């Protein structure tokens, strides 16, 4: 049984890391007009540079799983966050799309451990039956990062520019790295090294995960749901609200704030719901499937304009999308503890590769339509994408 103080020292540092990860993920939805105006980016360019975060994030997931299971979450995330800080500084100082892509790539690499390291730490410190609840609170910390990437960033742009925002984020990321390294308790790190069995044993664990029928029974719906959510919420919902919804820039930031607030409510609610239903013998996976199915239905309503209530629809989008995080806890309970890092990162690999393809592909498709007379992207392009 964990005591409150050590759990407090575990949760807050990893929550801070995931807060920053999500803030980095969504900030381009607000600063996109500045990037377009200053650097003349088209929709394909904007989609590529923003989704570069997802690509490097995804490609590092399998090595990350091995590092987490071998060295532990504390050391792994603390070191990787320094790469994210470097990426923020590169992004802030860049004057071309190439520099921005390099910066976003480093950021994606650096924050690639922020959720998985937390999940690994909680699998060590928290009883397994309570993982959906603590995971929900961890995701809520990410939702707060998404909140901070909306109106607060728009307000900051009245005092500085997008470059100043990223310089500040880089400094905060260095601080978060230090907090994780020095505040999180050292526990079982030696045991993890012994259990991992070296590189051969680590690779064998990856093969075990990817050849498991349980993994492939859960992965497809989770991957498709989360990829769509990440691709849209972290970039294209902002331009959509302007170009299709007809909102002004300050209104877009306000809407994005409410969508992010719905995410926070969703992360906490799904965690609490699954924790309560557990007492009646209902497992997290059926709850996740119901939530993700409703999420797909909401997407259809938005895509085909079947309901004109734009704000409620996007808030429901944010709320039900968060059900896609529940299968991570369900999967981790189906494998031994020493494989938990590789289980979650294996699923994350598929999610973020798909998110990269969806986000960039959305920009490519939108770019197939000429701009409107007002200089906006054509609503028909958004619908097709």
């Amino acid at each position: 049984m964990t005591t409150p103080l050590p759990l407090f020292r575990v949760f807050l540092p990893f929550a801070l890391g995931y807060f920053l990860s999500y803030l980095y993920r969504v900030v381009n939805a607000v600063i996109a007009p500045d990037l377009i105006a200053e650097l003349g980016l088209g929709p394909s360019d904007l989609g590529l540079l923003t989704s570069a975060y997802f690509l490097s994030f995804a490609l590092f997931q399998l090595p990350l799983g091995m590092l987490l299971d071998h060295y532990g979450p504390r050391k792994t995330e603390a070191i990787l966050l320094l790469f994210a800080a470097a990426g923020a500084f590169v992004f802030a100082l860049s004057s071309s799309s190439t520099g921005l892509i390099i910066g976003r790539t480093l950021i994606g690499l650096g924050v690639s451990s922020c959720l998985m390291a937390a999940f690994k730490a909680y699998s060590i410190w928290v009883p397994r039956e309570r993982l959906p609840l603590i995971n929900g609170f961890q995701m809520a910390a990410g939702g707060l990062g998404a909140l901070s990437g909306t109106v607060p960033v728009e307000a900051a742009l009245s005092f500085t520019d997008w470059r100043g925002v990223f310089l500040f984020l880089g400094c905060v990321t260095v601080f978060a790295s230090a907090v994780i390294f020095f505040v999180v308790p050292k526990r079982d790190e030696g045991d993890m090294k012994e259990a991992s069995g070296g590189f051969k044993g680590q690779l064998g664990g990856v093969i075990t995960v990817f050849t498991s029928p349980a993994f492939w029974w859960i992965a497809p719906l989770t991957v498709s749901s989360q990829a769509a959510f990440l691709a849209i919420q972290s970039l294209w919902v902002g331009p959509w609200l302007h170009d299709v919804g007809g909102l002004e820039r300050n209104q877009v930031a306000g809407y994005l704030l409410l969508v992010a607030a719905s995410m926070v409510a969703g992360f906490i609610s799904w965690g609490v719901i699954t924790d309560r239903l557990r007492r009646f013998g209902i497992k997290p996976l059926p709850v996740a499937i119901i939530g993700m199915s409703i999420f797909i239905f909401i997407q259809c309503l938005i895509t085909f304009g079947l309901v004109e209530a734009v704000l409620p629809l996007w808030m429901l989008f944010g709320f039900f999308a968060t059900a896609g995080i529940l299968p991570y806890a369900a999967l981790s309970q189906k494998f031994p503890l020493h494989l938990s890092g590789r289980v979650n990162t294996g699923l994350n690999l598929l999610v973020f590769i798909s998110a990269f393809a969806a986000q960039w592909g959305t920009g490519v498709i939108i770019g197939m339509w000429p701009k409107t007379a007002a200089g906006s992207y054509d609503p028909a392009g958004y619908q097709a994408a």
Side-chain angles (χ1 to χ4, degrees), residues 15-65:
L16 173 61
Y18 194 53
F19 172 92
L20 288 172
S21 173
Y22 230 108
L23 177 53
Y24 279 123
R25 189 180 300 176
V26 305
V27 67
N28 278 15
V30 171
I31 68 169
D34 301 297
L35 298 177
I36 293 170
E38 183 172 332
L39 301 175
L41 302 177
S44 177
D45 298 322
L46 183 61
L48 176 59
L49 79 88
T50 304
S51 64
Y53 168 108
F54 290 135
L55 182 61
S56 60
F57 195 114
L59 294 179
F60 197 66
Q61 288 304 295
L62 292 185
L64 172 64

Side-chain angles (χ1 to χ4, degrees), residues 5 14 40 50 53 77 117 120-121 123 154-155 172 177 266 283 302 307-309 315 319 334 356 360 382:
L5 183 57
F14 285 112
T50 304
Y53 168 108
E77 182 170 343
K120 177 68 178 181
S123 71
E154 183 69 29
V172 176
S177 171
K283 296 183 178 180
I302 294 172
V307 177
E308 294 183 358
M315 291 180 69
F319 183 89
K334 294 181 180 295
F356 164 76
W360 183 17
Y382 284 97

Side-chain angles (χ1 to χ4, degrees), residues 120-168:
K120 177 68 178 181
Y122 301 152
S123 71
I124 296 170
W125 284 90
V126 179
R128 282 195 160 195
E129 67 273 10
R130 307 308 300 273
L131 284 177
L133 180 62
I134 193 70
N135 287 355
F137 281 106
Q138 173 70 15
M139 296 303 298
L144 292 176
L147 278 170
S148 301
T150 58
V151 171
V153 169
E154 183 69 29
L157 292 174
S158 64
F159 298 99
T160 183
D161 60 4
W162 61 271
R163 298 181 188 276
V165 169
F166 271 83
L167 287 173
F168 175 75

Side-chain angles (χ1 to χ4, degrees), residues 165-204:
V165 169
F166 271 83
L167 287 173
F168 175 75
L169 287 177
C171 294
V172 176
T173 305
V174 172
F175 171 75
S177 171
V179 169
I180 289 172
F181 189 81
F182 292 109
V183 174
V184 174
K186 298 178 182 179
R187 176 176 175 180
D188 295 341
E189 291 181 351
D191 294 341
M192 280 185 274
K193 287 183 179 181
E194 183 178 346
S196 67
F199 178 78
K200 186 175 180 180
Q202 290 283 299
L203 187 59

Side-chain angles (χ1 to χ4, degrees), residues 59-79:
L59 294 179
F60 197 66
Q61 288 304 295
L62 292 185
L64 172 64
M66 292 189 280
L67 290 172
L68 288 174
D69 286 334
H70 189 68
Y71 293 105
R74 182 183 68 89
K75 291 179 180 178
T76 301
E77 182 170 343
I79 292 173

